[in-house]
Amino acid sequence: MSDTYRFPDGFLWGAATSAYQIEGSPLADGAGPSIWHRFCRTPGMVAGGDNGDVACDHYRRSEGDVELMRALGLNAYRFSVAWGRVIPEGRGAVNRPGLSFYDRLVDQLLAAGIQPAVTLFHWDLPAALDDRGGWLNRDIAGWFAEYASVVVRALGDRVALWTTLNEPWVVTDGGYLYGVLAPGHRSLFEAPIATHNLLRAHGAGMQAIRAAGGRQAGLVVNLEPKYPASDAPGDLAATARADAYMNRQYLDPVFLGSYPEELRAIFGEGWPDFPAEDLALIRQPLDYLGINYYTRSVTRHDPSVWPMATGRVRQPDHTYTAMDWEVYPQALTDVLTWVTRRYGPLPLYVTENGAAFYDAPAADGPVVEDPLRVAYYRDHLRAAHEAIRQGVDLRGYFAWSLLDNFEWSAGFARRFGLYHVNFLTQQRTPKASARYYARVIETHGAALGA
Ligand code: IFM
């Protein structure tokens, strides 16, 4: 086997999940409800009326799930802590049994030779904090820092990588601008405030992680490179707006200390002036940046789209996933090199990458065949390798996701797992992509050349 695609020694080969998407038992052992618990009970918000009450039942099956990771040969696992399990009201009293769940999980992982990578916030805000305004309340930066200190003090001696927030753009875009994700608001005026408070919480969280002795700490963003549909000035301007809104809105303040100019034009009177001291808090040095990459967008001017006036151009003959996301591996190389040029050089991780496809149910065979996902992983891992070849300091890759799970407002209908989950029996079955990924890991990437 040739060494064309060999990855560096020490590279982290992981898989990722998040608490609400897999754990189930959302109120067990004294946990407080989250905004997703409520959102799922709001008629019409989640496909099929699904919710995370059981999900993959991981809260009760974590030991078996760690064995699935061991079988893949993972040396890292990225998961999130449910804030409301640890602090049911979001601030104040700590719920020791909730914290113990994560304490045991970390030990199970280490015993299996798997480094824990912990995300503190992956969208499941305690409902009690939403009652106080959630991400619209400036006090949330302090609440988040307090929560971060509790978790890092409990687990920090054993956790390799800390993440403050997962994909803050999605929280704002889905939760405060378009209302399709919890807490379901639709407001041009709230979205910038939510963004800004997420970033302030990230800054305060970074300080809290460091003060509590956490090792490597950073932020995870989802990036989607924007390519203009044509050279027409309208399309070029639309591409710049889309890029500012999705890709630079979070990274510019964190690395450069200012918001992109385009946001003022996009939000108009909804865009406030933010105090300079807030931007200083936001601009904390990071040990690494995590990038979640799934797709790109070919962008054109479209005045009918509120408020961005940008639209996507569908690419004939290209493969689209069950999320209707174009499969375009080249953009993973492009995004990693772009971040390195604009904000780096700095250590990067691909903290999520994967695809939802319809997988034929495992009737009685030992493996679910998922050729499109196998090809997706092959081509994206090659693209990640190409970024390393071009000088990007890429330290690890986490497949999304270990298990089929609760895909937010799409419910259980979108399957991203390396393992197929039968949600009636909780039976886990490896997909062909799990076998493929295990082979890639075992050969340090060399199998990508086969
Ligand atoms: O399932 C989500 C995850 O929670 C965040 N990143 C994208 C994934 C797929 O949509």
Side-chain angles (χ1 to χ4, degrees):
M1 201 172 295
S2 99
D3 266 358
T4 315
Y5 292 108
R6 200 183 161 85
F7 281 69
D9 291 342
F11 194 78
L12 291 189
W13 295 100
T17 62
S18 90
Y20 191 77
Q21 294 180 272
I22 65 164
E23 286 177 357
S25 308
L27 305 181
D29 303 326
S34 74
I35 55 172
W36 271 94
H37 189 74
R38 284 186 178 169
F39 197 66
C40 292
R41 284 163 173 73
T42 309
M45 298 319 284
V46 175
D50 291 346
N51 62 54
D53 285 5
V54 178
C56 304
D57 199 22
H58 172 78
Y59 189 70
R60 300 189 308 151
R61 295 169 190 262
S62 65
E63 237 178 309
D65 289 340
V66 171
E67 284 311 309
L68 301 180
M69 299 174 209
R70 197 206 290 266
L72 289 174
L74 302 186
N75 59 11
Y77 171 57
R78 173 172 180 252
F79 64 96
S80 76
V81 171
W83 188 339
R85 282 200 197 283
V86 176
I87 306 182
E89 294 291 311
R91 37 178 226 149
V94 172
N95 178 40
R96 292 287 153 196
L99 198 48
S100 299
F101 166 70
Y102 298 107
D103 194 61
R104 285 193 303 276
L105 176 59
V106 162
D107 284 344
Q108 287 159 3
L109 290 167
L110 291 175
I114 298 168
Q115 296 291 318
V118 178
T119 300
L120 289 164
F121 179 72
H122 194 128
W123 310 357
D124 45 0
L125 186 73
L129 295 185
D130 195 46
D131 292 341
R132 295 175 176 273
W135 291 109
L136 302 175
N137 187 330
R138 274 182 72 83
D139 291 347
I140 200 164
W143 303 335
F144 181 72
E146 175 194 324
Y147 155 63
S149 318
V150 169
V151 181
V152 176
R153 279 201 306 267
L155 312 179
D157 54 333
R158 287 158 292 156
V159 166
L161 283 180
W162 289 99
T163 297
T164 52
L165 312 176
N166 179 71
E167 300 183 0
W169 177 82
V170 176
V171 176
T172 298
D173 180 79
Y176 291 89
L177 186 63
Y178 293 113
V180 295
L181 300 175
H185 301 194
R186 186 176 164 83
S187 165
L188 191 66
F189 294 85
E190 290 184 0
I193 296 170
T195 288
H196 190 64
N197 285 330
L198 280 154
L199 285 173
R200 290 178 52 252
H202 158 73
M206 287 294 296
Q207 291 177 335
I209 294 171
R210 296 203 195 290
R215 281 184 267 166
Q216 301 289 298
L219 173 69
V220 167
V221 289
N222 57 310
L223 299 180
E224 192 181 283
K226 310 292 180 186
Y227 303 84
S230 78
D231 289 341
D235 287 348
L236 295 176
T239 305
R241 279 197 304 283
D243 179 55
Y245 174 61
M246 188 159 176
N247 300 325
R248 286 182 276 124
Q249 180 170 197
Y250 292 86
L251 294 181
D252 276 13
V254 166
F255 289 106
L256 310 177
S258 59
Y259 286 102
E261 264 313 306
E262 291 93 337
L263 296 180
R264 202 174 283 282
I266 292 169
F267 287 98
E269 56 177 335
W271 186 260
D273 282 322
F274 294 112
E277 63 267 26
D278 286 1
L279 284 147
L281 171 66
I282 290 167
R283 194 181 186 183
Q284 299 293 317
L286 304 190
D287 296 317
Y288 75 92
L289 179 72
I291 296 171
N292 295 352
Y293 171 79
Y294 290 91
T295 190
R296 67 150 175 184
S297 159
V298 177
T299 307
R300 70 182 169 95
H301 179 63
D302 181 351
S304 73
V305 177
W306 174 86
M308 240 61 68
T310 63
R312 269 169 207 274
V313 179
R314 210 180 163 80
Q315 301 302 295
D317 306 325
H318 284 202
T319 305
Y320 281 75
T321 71
M323 302 293 283
D324 209 21
W325 295 345
E326 183 194 351
V327 176
Y328 194 74
Q330 170 67 45
L332 177 57
T333 313
D334 293 352
V335 80
L336 292 168
T337 51
W338 172 75
V339 164
T340 300
R341 279 195 312 275
R342 184 170 174 86
Y343 305 108
L346 80 165
L348 300 179
Y349 291 88
V350 173
T351 33
E352 288 181 26
N353 177 237
F357 287 112
Y358 175 75
D359 302 317
D364 37 22
V367 170
V368 175
E369 294 300 337
D370 59 343
L372 292 174
R373 192 175 291 100
V374 170
Y376 186 98
Y377 279 123
R378 182 198 61 213
D379 295 346
H380 285 79
L381 280 161
R382 286 178 176 176
H385 188 272
E386 173 59 20
I388 296 175
R389 210 191 54 75
Q390 291 183 27
V392 169
D393 184 6
L394 184 67
R395 305 270 176 104
Y397 174 95
F398 293 79
W400 183 272
S401 180
L402 178 70
L403 304 167
D404 289 342
N405 60 43
F406 176 75
E407 179 53 29
W408 308 110
S409 46
F412 293 101
R414 303 281 188 276
R415 292 178 178 269
F416 278 90
L418 291 164
Y419 285 92
H420 178 275
V421 177
N422 177 328
F423 292 107
L424 297 176
T425 62
Q426 291 298 335
Q427 168 81 34
R428 279 89 159 121
T429 305
K431 301 181 189 176
S433 55
R435 301 265 197 259
Y436 180 73
Y437 190 38
R439 182 87 187 109
V440 171
I441 295 172
E442 192 191 349
T443 60
H444 304 281
L448 293 167

